Amino acid sequence: MAFDIITIEPTTVDGAHAAGDVFFNLTSFQIPARACKLLSIHMEVANGAGEDDTKLGILFFKKNTQVTLGTLDATANIAHADFTSNQYIGQSFLTLSDAGGLDNDIIDTTALYYPSGSSQKAANSSENLFIPLILKGDSGSTDLFAGGVVHAGAPDFDGTANVKIHLHVEY
């Protein structure tokens, strides 16, 4: 077994986002093998502001037949047929605050997001469970695509090229 870290640098827009908004559209990346297990996901936002209590979803697809989930900083409105043709394979979540409301964003100049679960909590814990995913390209390809949607909060990414998403994988 081997490990790798893949960094995705999507294009975002400046300005406050709302729940349901697209914060980046499908962005391509390559995995180091035909299939990988996503062990963890993290995100850094340089000069970010207003991210407290934010929850973001990173959606993974095998294909990129429809490159947009919708207009950046507007409601995600991809048609069902287009969503299906992109071959959705799963979603991971990122947050700044844990399930108990503790703000883990401790660096003033960079917002650091960490992995979160959708809504399930570990027994006797306030932490959300992170659910690993299998990342696998279409027909033996190592190309995959990711897009992002705001689930909660009003993050302001303060730029167009200051977001980096780090995928920790095993293959």
Side-chain angles (χ1 to χ4, degrees):
M1 103 184 87
F3 301 93
D4 202 353
I5 299 172
I6 302 161
T7 299
I8 303 169
E9 297 184 46
T11 299
T12 59
V13 294
D14 189 9
H17 294 61
D21 283 358
V22 175
F23 81 94
F24 75 93
N25 272 306
L26 295 190
T27 303
S28 66
F29 66 97
Q30 286 194 317
I31 54 177
R34 195 171 77 78
C36 295
K37 179 179 180 181
L38 180 64
L39 299 173
S40 190
I41 183 170
H42 299 270
M43 185 172 85
E44 62 181 281
V45 180
N47 301 313
E51 281 92 3
D52 290 347
D53 298 320
T54 297
K55 187 170 197 169
L56 306 171
I58 308 300
L59 292 82
F60 296 98
F61 298 89
K62 288 183 177 184
K63 291 185 176 181
N64 189 12
T65 59
Q66 170 53 274
V67 300
T68 179
L69 296 173
T71 303
L72 293 178
D73 199 17
T75 303
N77 63 356
I78 184 172
H80 174 69
D82 292 331
F83 189 90
T84 300
S85 71
N86 283 344
Q87 294 186 7
Y88 171 75
I89 57 174
Q91 179 175 208
S92 285
F93 296 92
L94 293 161
T95 187
L96 285 169
S97 302
D98 70 13
L102 178 64
D103 185 4
N104 290 307
D105 182 24
I106 57 171
I107 298 177
D108 289 338
T109 59
T110 305
L112 298 175
Y113 286 76
Y114 67 97
S116 175
S118 57
S119 63
Q120 292 151 350
K121 297 182 176 52
N124 302 317
S125 173
S126 63
E127 290 292 320
N128 283 330
L129 292 174
F130 172 75
I131 302 168
L133 293 175
I134 300 301
L135 301 176
K136 184 177 178 186
D138 185 44
S139 300
S141 173
T142 58
D143 294 328
L144 287 174
F145 304 89
V149 177
V150 178
H151 281 261
D156 183 348
F157 299 112
D158 289 342
T160 60
N162 59 348
V163 173
K164 292 182 182 178
I165 300 168
H166 307 288
L167 309 175
H168 298 236
V169 298
E170 177 182 356
Y171 62 99

